[in-house]
Amino acid sequence: MDAAADELLRLAFDRAPALEANQAIARVRAQQGDELSGATSYELVLPAENVRSFLLDYTLPRLVDYLESSGAKLPHCGGVFLSVFSGDTLHFLQARDAVELLSRWSGLSMAELKTRYGPK
């Protein structure tokens, strides 16, 4: 496995077979949500190679824009978790943990991420 994928997926708080994705996402949504609503799943599929550049060039800008637009503001990213498909496994990560790692990799602070990739 790609070293960047390995580092990202070590952040997972839960895993499930990808074939059971719908049930697993529903379960985690219910576990992570509050009494009024479930949490939101942000789903992505990791490529087999060049994971770090995929995450920094493609995923990070879209994820930050989504989080800021939906009210799940950085750095806490409340109510959002990532459902990351890698091979035949689905990995669940807190959005805040993934953003923190990608922030470190990019060399951009949370404020810089918001300015660069947040809603205009």
Side-chain angles (χ1 to χ4, degrees):
M1 181 182 286
D2 181 289
D6 213 31
E7 187 173 355
L8 176 75
L9 297 177
R10 275 197 300 265
L11 300 173
F13 64 84
D14 199 355
R15 290 172 184 74
L19 291 173
E20 299 171 11
N22 289 338
Q23 299 91 335
I25 291 170
R27 174 180 51 80
V28 172
R29 187 177 284 133
Q31 290 171 346
Q32 296 288 310
D34 59 28
E35 310 81 49
L36 302 175
S37 64
T40 301
S41 172
Y42 186 92
E43 295 151 23
L44 63 115
V45 178
L46 289 185
E49 51 193 41
N50 300 318
V51 171
R52 187 178 176 125
S53 62
F54 167 79
L55 291 169
L56 291 176
D57 300 338
Y58 178 78
T59 304
L60 183 60
R62 288 162 181 79
L63 178 59
V64 170
D65 182 61
Y66 171 77
L67 292 168
E68 289 291 306
S69 297
S70 69
K73 305 288 187 185
L74 274 60
H76 302 294
C77 312
V80 178
F81 63 93
L82 273 56
S83 299
V84 181
F85 292 87
S86 179
D88 59 359
T89 305
L90 176 57
H91 305 261
F92 297 105
L93 292 74
Q94 296 296 343
R96 70 177 170 268
D97 296 340
V99 169
E100 185 178 300
L101 175 65
L102 297 176
S103 169
R104 197 165 8 106
W105 285 355
S106 70
L108 298 172
S109 69
M110 291 293 164
E112 290 168 323
L113 289 175
K114 289 180 187 186
T115 301
R116 185 174 292 189
Y117 302 128
K120 304 298 182 233

